Amino acid sequence: MENNENKKVIFSGVQPSGVLTIGNYLGAIKNWVSLADEYDCIYCAVDMHAITVRQDPAELRRRTRELLAIYIAAGIDPEKSTLFVQSHVSAHAELAWILNCYTQFGELSRMTQFKDKSVKHADNINAGLFTYPTLMAADILLYQADLVPVGQDQKQHIELTRDIATRFNGIYGDVFTVPEGFIPPSGAKIMSLQDPTKKMSKSDTNVNSFVTLMDKKDDIIRKFKRAVTDSETCVRFAEGKDGINNLMNIYSCFTGKTHAEIEKEFDGRGYGDFKLAVGEAVADGLAPIQERFDKIIADKTYLDDVIKNGAQAASYRAQKTMRKVAKKVGFIAK
Ligand code: ATP
Ligand code: LTN
């Protein structure tokens, strides 16, 4: 592992609750890669968060490994950054419990993700779903993270993490670094291809609403062809054109072109041409990631090693914060 001392710390995670979408990639992982050299980075597969909704155990195991393989395939080097599985570091659950005692019922009740998921999973509104944000705060605060790169939808959870850290520090002195969110200027909120007023989500039941990082070129092109747009024909970024705006954002993220450049490129051409170009740009952008993923997932020993070393490195760092916190709240030393 590289010497990361004196660098600022980054922490982030994704739930292994489905195959990653281009929303997860553009909103989170792509930025993790671009920040990896400058910061001391810790990236986690948050399997404990994933079980706040029902998961098939065998699938959860498979997806957790695949998620770490995707992190590496996307460009995160496990020699430079710490990659690990949340449930392998018991300090996450320990700190989450303590933070629950410093978080108000009212605060958790206001979380929009909780409200949305309570509607989506009305038959299973469990206590874990409710306290999901305190586990996320524990993830971040355990590693004294300075920066948390996430998509727009996680902004409220980061704010709550900051409030909890500030409150705890106010009582006990400087225990936690108060983290900042890092939300990218573009790609922070990729919308569903079938309902562009809704965020693209990997657990959506309609597979045409998202493009996964593993989708093959033909499927990607087909999904973009079917994307819901509007009754105009002109490719331009404007209020009320949610579908086209979303496709322009995606195209911009994959090609680096600005909205003005895209409007010029497709001037006088219809939506059909534009959708095809978006599909091709996305497929070409994902192809190298898919190629690397296939190699990594086939190398069981390598991935096992990454998982084992990551758990060790993360546990060591987490224990430092846990000892401090336990002492502060009045637990006797082990
Ligand atoms: P689920 O559907 O299981 O709730 P999800 O697709 O919303 O999952 P998460 O695991 O909750 O994804 O999120 C992982 C990361 O991806 C977070 O940083 C989140 O902000 C980001 N993210 C999720 N969806 C999008 C999106 N549509 N656009 C941009 N970023 C996103
Ligand atoms: N809640 C996040 C996933 C997540 C996370 C974290 C992100 C869990 N712990 C810590 C950043 C930092 C989500 O649903 N996307």
Side-chain angles (χ1 to χ4, degrees), residues 15 17 23-24 27 117 150-151 153 187-188 190 199-203:
Q15 303 179 71
S17 50
N24 302 129
K117 294 220 167 171
V150 283
D153 63 316
I190 300 299
K199 124 182 148 99
M200 184 180 284
S201 165
K202 63 175 127 65
S203 55

Side-chain angles (χ1 to χ4, degrees), residues 22 25 211-213 220 254 281-291:
I22 53 170
Y25 178 65
V211 169
T212 80
L213 298 193
I220 296 175
F254 275 91
V282 172
D284 292 348
L286 296 183
I289 299 178
Q290 295 181 353
E291 221 173 277

